[in-house]
Amino acid sequence: MKLITLYNQFHNTLFNYLKHLDGLAPLALRLYLVPIFWMAGFHKYQSFADTVDWFGNPDYGLGLPFPWLMAFLATSAELAGAVLLTLGLATRWISLPLMVTMIVAIITVHLPNGWQAIADPNAPFANQQVIDSTEKLAKARELLQEHGNYDWLTSSGNFVVLNNGIEFATTYLIMLLCLFFTGGGRYVSVDYWLAKFLQQK
């Protein structure tokens, strides 16, 4: 019993000090997500007409209803999300439309391709599409080794097959879910200081 009491005292003391650093985790999540959503939103904004066409076209796009509205909402959520996550302002509120955007992307774009973002037949959740990519990648490497400067071509990294599964979008969704419950973080967000200011009123 004495050992348990000592452990509890140590545990409580340690984490009482560490609580002042608990804003680092949501800060890390925010800063990780900022460039992802900024690049996605800015790309949609730069080619907005093509984005609307892709959202609405059932043959080579997503076939979504109200494509202009859907494209506008997705673009706005991603651009505004990047700015607000940078500041840690309205973190919980902006996490909601970003989570919806991720869910729509998972269902309409990535789900048919399975789990993996990068095809790896040796990794868990390898579907038939991933397994079939092995032969194609091997043939591509063979052609490049025979007819191209393979060492130069691979000097920046190995060739891979983009499977475009739900892996990345699901990861971002989980990160946003964490931010929805934690908020922007102690000391490192506008939300924190705004709440403190309002409590003093």
Side-chain angles (χ1 to χ4, degrees), residues 2 18 33 36 45 75 94 106 112 116 120 138 156 159 173-174 180 201:
K2 188 175 181 180
L18 288 178
L33 290 169
I36 292 164
Y45 170 76
T75 304
I94 195 59
I106 287 168
Q116 292 182 23
D120 181 356
S156 297
F159 283 106
L173 175 63
I174 293 169
F180 177 74
K201 291 293 184 180

mmCIF file of all heavy atoms in Angstrom, residues 2 18 33 36 45 75 94 106 112 116 120 138 156 159 173-174 180 201:
data_model
loop_
_atom_site.group_PDB
_atom_site.id
_atom_site.type_symbol
_atom_site.label_atom_id
_atom_site.label_comp_id
_atom_site.label_asym_id
_atom_site.label_seq_id
_atom_site.Cartn_x
_atom_site.Cartn_y
_atom_site.Cartn_z
ATOM 1 N N LYS A 2 1.973 1.213 0.757
ATOM 2 C CA LYS A 2 2.844 2.388 0.809
ATOM 3 C C LYS A 2 3.463 2.658 -0.555
ATOM 4 O O LYS A 2 3.611 3.822 -0.976
ATOM 5 C CB LYS A 2 3.952 2.173 1.849
ATOM 6 C CG LYS A 2 4.784 3.417 2.090
ATOM 7 C CD LYS A 2 5.771 3.206 3.207
ATOM 8 C CE LYS A 2 6.573 4.488 3.443
ATOM 9 N NZ LYS A 2 7.552 4.316 4.540
ATOM 10 N N LEU A 18 3.553 18.743 -15.723
ATOM 11 C CA LEU A 18 3.480 18.546 -17.167
ATOM 12 C C LEU A 18 2.231 19.169 -17.787
ATOM 13 O O LEU A 18 2.199 19.400 -18.997
ATOM 14 C CB LEU A 18 3.522 17.051 -17.497
ATOM 15 C CG LEU A 18 4.869 16.356 -17.309
ATOM 16 C CD1 LEU A 18 4.746 14.882 -17.634
ATOM 17 C CD2 LEU A 18 5.942 17.010 -18.180
ATOM 18 N N LEU A 33 -1.476 20.040 -39.723
ATOM 19 C CA LEU A 33 -2.618 20.089 -40.637
ATOM 20 C C LEU A 33 -2.652 21.355 -41.491
ATOM 21 O O LEU A 33 -3.233 21.346 -42.577
ATOM 22 C CB LEU A 33 -3.918 19.974 -39.843
ATOM 23 C CG LEU A 33 -4.195 18.607 -39.208
ATOM 24 C CD1 LEU A 33 -5.369 18.693 -38.235
ATOM 25 C CD2 LEU A 33 -4.464 17.558 -40.275
ATOM 26 N N ILE A 36 -1.395 21.133 -45.130
ATOM 27 C CA ILE A 36 -2.219 20.169 -45.866
ATOM 28 C C ILE A 36 -3.494 20.828 -46.361
ATOM 29 O O ILE A 36 -3.850 20.753 -47.544
ATOM 30 C CB ILE A 36 -2.536 18.950 -44.977
ATOM 31 C CG1 ILE A 36 -1.258 18.149 -44.725
ATOM 32 C CG2 ILE A 36 -3.614 18.071 -45.606
ATOM 33 C CD1 ILE A 36 -1.354 17.173 -43.595
ATOM 34 N N TYR A 45 -9.031 26.556 -55.220
ATOM 35 C CA TYR A 45 -9.318 27.959 -55.524
ATOM 36 C C TYR A 45 -8.698 28.373 -56.860
ATOM 37 O O TYR A 45 -9.337 29.064 -57.669
ATOM 38 C CB TYR A 45 -8.787 28.841 -54.403
ATOM 39 C CG TYR A 45 -8.817 30.321 -54.710
ATOM 40 C CD1 TYR A 45 -10.011 31.034 -54.667
ATOM 41 C CD2 TYR A 45 -7.640 30.992 -55.059
ATOM 42 C CE1 TYR A 45 -10.041 32.388 -54.958
ATOM 43 C CE2 TYR A 45 -7.660 32.344 -55.355
ATOM 44 C CZ TYR A 45 -8.867 33.039 -55.304
ATOM 45 O OH TYR A 45 -8.888 34.373 -55.601
ATOM 46 N N THR A 75 -13.635 24.362 -50.513
ATOM 47 C CA THR A 75 -12.527 25.311 -50.667
ATOM 48 C C THR A 75 -12.476 26.280 -49.499
ATOM 49 O O THR A 75 -11.401 26.539 -48.930
ATOM 50 C CB THR A 75 -12.677 26.087 -51.989
ATOM 51 O OG1 THR A 75 -12.757 25.162 -53.078
ATOM 52 C CG2 THR A 75 -11.501 27.026 -52.207
ATOM 53 N N ILE A 94 -13.966 25.134 -36.314
ATOM 54 C CA ILE A 94 -13.472 24.876 -37.671
ATOM 55 C C ILE A 94 -13.161 23.402 -37.875
ATOM 56 O O ILE A 94 -13.175 22.913 -39.017
ATOM 57 C CB ILE A 94 -12.240 25.756 -37.998
ATOM 58 C CG1 ILE A 94 -11.975 25.756 -39.511
ATOM 59 C CG2 ILE A 94 -11.000 25.290 -37.244
ATOM 60 C CD1 ILE A 94 -13.116 26.257 -40.366
ATOM 61 N N ILE A 106 -13.328 10.767 -47.976
ATOM 62 C CA ILE A 106 -13.134 9.328 -47.727
ATOM 63 C C ILE A 106 -14.161 8.515 -48.496
ATOM 64 O O ILE A 106 -13.824 7.545 -49.181
ATOM 65 C CB ILE A 106 -13.222 9.034 -46.213
ATOM 66 C CG1 ILE A 106 -11.963 9.555 -45.496
ATOM 67 C CG2 ILE A 106 -13.400 7.540 -45.961
ATOM 68 C CD1 ILE A 106 -12.078 9.564 -43.987
ATOM 69 N N PRO A 112 -13.131 3.496 -52.473
ATOM 70 C CA PRO A 112 -13.025 2.406 -53.458
ATOM 71 C C PRO A 112 -11.620 1.826 -53.598
ATOM 72 O O PRO A 112 -11.452 0.709 -54.100
ATOM 73 C CB PRO A 112 -13.472 3.078 -54.765
ATOM 74 C CG PRO A 112 -14.318 4.228 -54.333
ATOM 75 C CD PRO A 112 -13.699 4.717 -53.053
ATOM 76 N N GLN A 116 -4.771 1.642 -48.049
ATOM 77 C CA GLN A 116 -3.437 2.178 -48.261
ATOM 78 C C GLN A 116 -3.425 3.405 -49.175
ATOM 79 O O GLN A 116 -4.065 3.420 -50.230
ATOM 80 C CB GLN A 116 -2.514 1.126 -48.848
ATOM 81 C CG GLN A 116 -2.199 -0.014 -47.897
ATOM 82 C CD GLN A 116 -1.234 -0.998 -48.505
ATOM 83 O OE1 GLN A 116 -0.476 -0.683 -49.406
ATOM 84 N NE2 GLN A 116 -1.257 -2.229 -48.013
ATOM 85 N N ASP A 120 1.523 -0.994 -51.034
ATOM 86 C CA ASP A 120 2.552 -1.861 -50.461
ATOM 87 C C ASP A 120 1.910 -3.218 -50.175
ATOM 88 O O ASP A 120 1.174 -3.371 -49.198
ATOM 89 C CB ASP A 120 3.117 -1.256 -49.173
ATOM 90 C CG ASP A 120 4.222 -2.117 -48.564
ATOM 91 O OD1 ASP A 120 4.504 -3.215 -49.095
ATOM 92 O OD2 ASP A 120 4.798 -1.699 -47.536
ATOM 93 N N ALA A 138 7.146 -3.279 -60.892
ATOM 94 C CA ALA A 138 8.358 -4.007 -61.283
ATOM 95 C C ALA A 138 8.658 -3.802 -62.768
ATOM 96 O O ALA A 138 9.825 -3.614 -63.159
ATOM 97 C CB ALA A 138 8.202 -5.495 -60.970
ATOM 98 N N SER A 156 15.939 11.088 -55.689
ATOM 99 C CA SER A 156 15.085 11.813 -54.732
ATOM 100 C C SER A 156 14.139 10.885 -53.981
ATOM 101 O O SER A 156 13.335 11.343 -53.168
ATOM 102 C CB SER A 156 14.261 12.886 -55.463
ATOM 103 O OG SER A 156 15.107 13.854 -56.030
ATOM 104 N N PHE A 159 10.498 4.905 -56.592
ATOM 105 C CA PHE A 159 9.231 4.959 -57.293
ATOM 106 C C PHE A 159 8.197 4.131 -56.525
ATOM 107 O O PHE A 159 8.502 3.046 -56.027
ATOM 108 C CB PHE A 159 9.362 4.414 -58.717
ATOM 109 C CG PHE A 159 10.013 5.373 -59.658
ATOM 110 C CD1 PHE A 159 11.311 5.176 -60.075
ATOM 111 C CD2 PHE A 159 9.332 6.488 -60.119
ATOM 112 C CE1 PHE A 159 11.927 6.060 -60.935
ATOM 113 C CE2 PHE A 159 9.930 7.386 -60.975
ATOM 114 C CZ PHE A 159 11.235 7.180 -61.383
ATOM 115 N N LEU A 173 -8.689 13.040 -40.317
ATOM 116 C CA LEU A 173 -9.969 13.049 -39.615
ATOM 117 C C LEU A 173 -9.776 12.791 -38.121
ATOM 118 O O LEU A 173 -10.376 13.476 -37.280
ATOM 119 C CB LEU A 173 -10.895 11.989 -40.227
ATOM 120 C CG LEU A 173 -12.249 11.775 -39.544
ATOM 121 C CD1 LEU A 173 -13.104 13.037 -39.622
ATOM 122 C CD2 LEU A 173 -12.984 10.598 -40.179
ATOM 123 N N ILE A 174 -8.939 11.829 -37.781
ATOM 124 C CA ILE A 174 -8.665 11.511 -36.375
ATOM 125 C C ILE A 174 -7.977 12.687 -35.690
ATOM 126 O O ILE A 174 -8.290 13.035 -34.539
ATOM 127 C CB ILE A 174 -7.823 10.223 -36.271
ATOM 128 C CG1 ILE A 174 -8.646 9.020 -36.734
ATOM 129 C CG2 ILE A 174 -7.316 10.016 -34.846
ATOM 130 C CD1 ILE A 174 -7.836 7.757 -36.930
ATOM 131 N N PHE A 180 -11.020 18.749 -31.914
ATOM 132 C CA PHE A 180 -12.383 19.111 -31.524
ATOM 133 C C PHE A 180 -12.574 18.950 -30.017
ATOM 134 O O PHE A 180 -13.252 19.752 -29.374
ATOM 135 C CB PHE A 180 -13.393 18.239 -32.276
ATOM 136 C CG PHE A 180 -14.817 18.496 -31.868
ATOM 137 C CD1 PHE A 180 -15.474 19.647 -32.270
ATOM 138 C CD2 PHE A 180 -15.494 17.584 -31.069
ATOM 139 C CE1 PHE A 180 -16.783 19.886 -31.878
ATOM 140 C CE2 PHE A 180 -16.793 17.822 -30.675
ATOM 141 C CZ PHE A 180 -17.450 18.977 -31.090
ATOM 142 N N LYS A 201 -14.096 39.126 -17.358
ATOM 143 C CA LYS A 201 -15.166 40.129 -17.510
ATOM 144 C C LYS A 201 -16.281 39.911 -16.500
ATOM 145 O O LYS A 201 -16.591 38.800 -16.124
ATOM 146 C CB LYS A 201 -15.730 40.049 -18.936
ATOM 147 C CG LYS A 201 -14.748 40.534 -19.994
ATOM 148 C CD LYS A 201 -14.508 42.012 -19.859
ATOM 149 C CE LYS A 201 -13.614 42.545 -20.972
ATOM 150 N NZ LYS A 201 -13.378 43.993 -20.837
#
